[in-house]
Coordinates of all heavy atoms in Angstrom, one line a residue:
Chain A
H156 N -6.0 11.4 2.9 CA -5.7 11.4 4.3 C -5.6 12.8 4.9 O -4.5 13.4 4.9 CB -4.3 10.7 4.5 CG -4.3 9.3 4.0 ND1 -4.2 8.9 2.6 CD2 -4.4 8.1 4.6 CE1 -4.2 7.6 2.5 NE2 -4.4 7.1 3.7
G158 N -6.2 13.9 8.1 CA -5.6 14.0 9.5 C -4.1 14.3 9.5 O -3.7 15.3 10.1
G159 N -3.4 13.5 8.9 CA -1.9 13.6 8.9 C -1.4 14.7 8.0 O -0.2 15.0 8.0
S162 N -1.9 17.9 10.3 CA -1.0 18.0 11.5 C 0.4 18.5 11.0 O 1.1 19.0 11.9 CB -0.9 16.7 12.2 OG -0.4 15.7 11.3
K194 N 6.2 9.9 5.3 CA 4.8 9.5 5.4 C 4.0 10.0 4.1 O 3.3 11.0 4.2 CB 4.1 10.1 6.7 CG 4.5 11.5 7.1 CD 3.7 11.9 8.3 CE 2.6 12.9 7.9 NZ 1.7 13.4 9.0
H196 N 1.5 9.3 2.5 CA 0.0 9.4 2.4 C -0.4 10.9 2.7 O -1.5 11.2 2.4 CB -0.7 8.4 3.3 CG -0.2 8.6 4.8 ND1 0.9 8.0 5.3 CD2 -0.8 9.2 5.8 CE1 1.0 8.3 6.6 NE2 0.0 9.1 6.9
H229 N 0.0 9.1 -3.7 CA 1.3 9.3 -2.9 C 2.3 9.9 -3.8 O 2.2 9.8 -5.1 CB 1.7 7.9 -2.5 CG 0.8 7.2 -1.5 ND1 -0.3 6.6 -1.8 CD2 0.9 7.1 -0.1 CE1 -0.9 6.1 -0.7 NE2 -0.2 6.4 0.3
G243 N 5.4 6.2 0.1 CA 4.1 5.6 0.2 C 4.2 4.3 1.0 O 3.3 3.9 1.7
S244 N 5.3 3.7 0.9 CA 5.6 2.5 1.7 C 6.4 3.1 2.9 O 7.5 3.5 2.7 CB 6.4 1.5 0.9 OG 6.6 0.4 1.8
L245 N 5.8 3.0 4.1 CA 6.3 3.7 5.2 C 7.7 3.1 5.7 O 7.9 2.0 5.5 CB 5.4 3.7 6.4 CG 4.0 4.4 6.1 CD1 3.0 4.0 7.2 CD2 4.2 5.9 6.1
G273 N 6.1 10.0 10.1 CA 4.9 9.8 10.9 C 5.3 9.1 12.2 O 6.3 8.3 12.2
D274 N 4.5 9.3 13.3 CA 4.8 8.6 14.5 C 4.5 7.1 14.3 O 5.3 6.3 14.8 CB 4.1 9.2 15.7 CG 2.6 9.5 15.5 OD1 2.0 9.0 14.5 OD2 2.0 10.2 16.3
G275 N 3.5 6.7 13.6 CA 3.3 5.3 13.3 C 4.4 4.8 12.4 O 4.9 3.7 12.6
E276 N 4.8 5.6 11.5 CA 5.9 5.2 10.5 C 7.1 4.7 11.3 O 7.8 3.8 10.8 CB 6.2 6.3 9.6 CG 7.3 6.0 8.6 CD 7.7 7.1 7.7 OE1 7.3 8.2 7.9 OE2 8.4 6.7 6.7
E279 N 8.5 1.2 12.1 CA 9.3 0.3 11.2 C 10.7 0.2 11.6 O 11.4 1.2 12.0 CB 9.3 1.0 9.7 CG 8.0 0.9 9.0 CD 7.7 -0.5 8.4 OE1 8.6 -1.4 8.6 OE2 6.6 -0.7 7.8
D302 N 6.3 13.9 13.0 CA 5.0 14.5 13.2 C 4.3 13.7 14.3 O 3.5 12.8 13.9 CB 4.3 14.5 11.9 CG 2.9 15.2 12.0 OD1 2.6 15.7 13.0 OD2 2.2 15.2 10.9
N304 N 1.6 13.1 16.1 CA 0.2 13.5 16.3 C -0.5 12.4 17.1 O -1.8 12.5 17.2 CB -0.5 13.8 14.9 CG -0.4 12.6 14.0 OD1 -0.4 11.4 14.4 ND2 -0.4 12.9 12.7
I306 N -1.7 9.6 16.6 CA -2.7 8.6 16.0 C -2.1 8.0 14.7 O -1.4 8.7 14.0 CB -4.0 9.4 15.7 CG1 -4.7 9.9 17.0 CG2 -5.0 8.5 14.9 CD1 -5.9 10.8 16.7
Q307 N -2.4 6.8 14.5 CA -2.0 6.1 13.3 C -3.2 5.6 12.6 O -4.3 6.3 12.7 CB -0.9 5.1 13.5 CG -1.2 4.0 14.6 CD 0.0 3.2 14.9 OE1 0.6 3.3 16.0 NE2 0.4 2.3 14.0
L308 N -3.2 4.6 11.8 CA -4.4 4.2 11.0 C -5.5 3.6 11.8 O -6.6 4.0 11.8 CB -3.9 3.2 9.9 CG -4.9 2.9 8.8 CD1 -4.3 2.7 7.4 CD2 -5.8 1.7 9.1
V312 N -1.5 5.6 18.8 CA -0.2 5.0 18.8 C 0.0 4.2 20.1 O 0.6 3.1 20.1 CB 0.9 6.1 18.5 CG1 2.3 5.5 18.7 CG2 0.7 6.7 17.2
K366 N -3.5 15.6 15.3 CA -4.0 15.1 14.0 C -5.3 15.8 13.6 O -6.2 15.9 14.5 CB -4.2 13.6 14.1 CG -4.3 12.9 12.7 CD -3.7 11.5 12.8 CE -3.9 10.7 11.5 NZ -3.3 9.4 11.4
H380 N -8.1 9.8 9.8 CA -6.8 9.4 9.2 C -6.9 9.2 7.7 O -6.1 9.8 6.9 CB -6.3 8.1 9.8 CG -5.1 7.5 9.0 ND1 -3.9 8.0 9.1 CD2 -5.1 6.5 8.1 CE1 -3.1 7.3 8.3 NE2 -3.8 6.4 7.7
Chain B
A1451 N -0.5 -5.4 11.3 CA 0.4 -4.3 11.3 C -0.3 -3.0 11.0 O 0.0 -2.3 9.9 CB 1.5 -4.6 10.3
D1452 N -1.1 -2.6 11.9 CA -1.9 -1.3 11.7 C -2.7 -1.2 10.5 O -2.8 -0.1 9.9 CB -0.9 -0.1 11.8 CG -1.6 1.2 12.0 OD1 -2.7 1.3 12.7 OD2 -1.1 2.3 11.5
L1453 N -3.3 -2.3 10.1 CA -4.2 -2.2 9.0 C -5.5 -3.1 9.2 O -6.1 -3.6 8.3 CB -3.5 -2.6 7.7 CG -2.7 -1.5 7.0 CD1 -1.8 -2.1 5.9 CD2 -3.5 -0.4 6.4
I1475 N 3.4 -0.8 12.7 CA 3.7 -0.7 11.3 C 5.2 -1.3 11.2 O 6.1 -0.6 11.2 CB 3.6 0.7 10.7 CG1 2.3 1.3 11.1 CG2 3.9 0.7 9.2 CD1 2.2 2.8 10.8
E1477 N 6.2 -4.8 9.3 CA 5.8 -6.0 8.7 C 6.8 -7.1 8.8 O 6.5 -8.3 9.0 CB 5.4 -5.7 7.2 CG 4.2 -4.8 7.0 CD 4.5 -3.3 7.2 OE1 5.7 -3.0 7.3 OE2 3.6 -2.5 7.2
S1498 N -1.5 -8.1 6.1 CA -1.3 -6.7 5.8 C -1.7 -6.5 4.4 O -2.2 -7.5 3.7 CB 0.1 -6.3 6.0 OG 0.3 -4.9 5.8
F1499 N -1.4 -5.3 3.8 CA -1.6 -5.2 2.4 C -0.5 -6.2 1.8 O 0.6 -6.3 2.3 CB -1.2 -3.8 1.9 CG -2.3 -2.8 2.1 CD1 -3.4 -3.0 2.9 CD2 -2.2 -1.5 1.6 CE1 -4.4 -2.0 3.1 CE2 -3.1 -0.5 1.7 CZ -4.2 -0.8 2.6
F1502 N 3.0 -4.9 1.3 CA 3.9 -4.7 2.4 C 4.3 -6.0 3.1 O 5.5 -6.2 3.4 CB 3.2 -3.8 3.5 CG 2.8 -2.5 2.9 CD1 1.5 -1.9 3.2 CD2 3.6 -1.8 2.0 CE1 1.1 -0.8 2.6 CE2 3.2 -0.6 1.4 CZ 2.0 -0.1 1.8
K1506 N 8.2 -6.3 2.3 CA 9.0 -6.0 3.5 C 9.3 -7.3 4.2 O 10.3 -7.3 4.9 CB 8.2 -5.0 4.4 CG 7.9 -3.7 3.8 CD 8.6 -2.6 4.6 CE 8.1 -1.2 4.0 NZ 9.0 -0.2 4.4
Q1540 N 1.1 1.1 -3.0 CA 0.2 0.2 -2.3 C -0.3 -0.9 -3.1 O -1.0 -1.8 -2.7 CB -1.0 0.9 -1.7 CG -0.7 2.4 -1.3 CD -0.1 2.6 0.0 OE1 -0.5 2.1 1.0 NE2 1.1 3.3 0.0
Ligands
TPP424 C1 5.0 -0.1 5.0 C2 3.6 0.3 5.1 N1 2.7 -0.3 5.9 C3 1.5 0.1 6.0 C4 1.0 1.2 5.3 C5 -0.4 1.6 5.4 N2 -0.6 2.8 6.1 C6 -0.7 4.0 5.5 S1 -0.8 5.3 6.5 C7 -0.6 4.3 7.9 C8 -0.6 4.9 9.2 C9 0.5 5.8 9.4 O1 0.5 6.5 10.6 P1 1.5 7.7 10.9 O2 2.8 7.4 10.4 O3 1.4 8.0 12.3 O4 0.9 8.8 10.0 P2 0.0 10.1 10.3 O5 -0.7 9.8 11.6 O6 0.9 11.2 10.4 O7 -1.0 10.2 9.2 C10 -0.6 3.0 7.5 C11 -0.4 1.8 8.4 C12 1.9 1.8 4.5 N3 1.6 2.9 3.7 N4 3.2 1.4 4.4

Side-chain angles (χ1 to χ4, degrees):
Chain A
H156 301 82
S162 62
K194 43 173 255 181
H196 57 278
H229 292 77
S244 182
L245 296 166
D274 45 15
E276 176 180 19
E279 285 285 358
D302 181 4
N304 61 29
I306 293 175
Q307 51 191 111
L308 189 146
V312 173
K366 197 149 172 172
H380 165 76
Chain B
D1452 194 31
L1453 279 167
I1475 309 172
E1477 297 79 6
S1498 182
F1499 284 11
F1502 305 136
K1506 297 241 188 201
Q1540 330 280 304

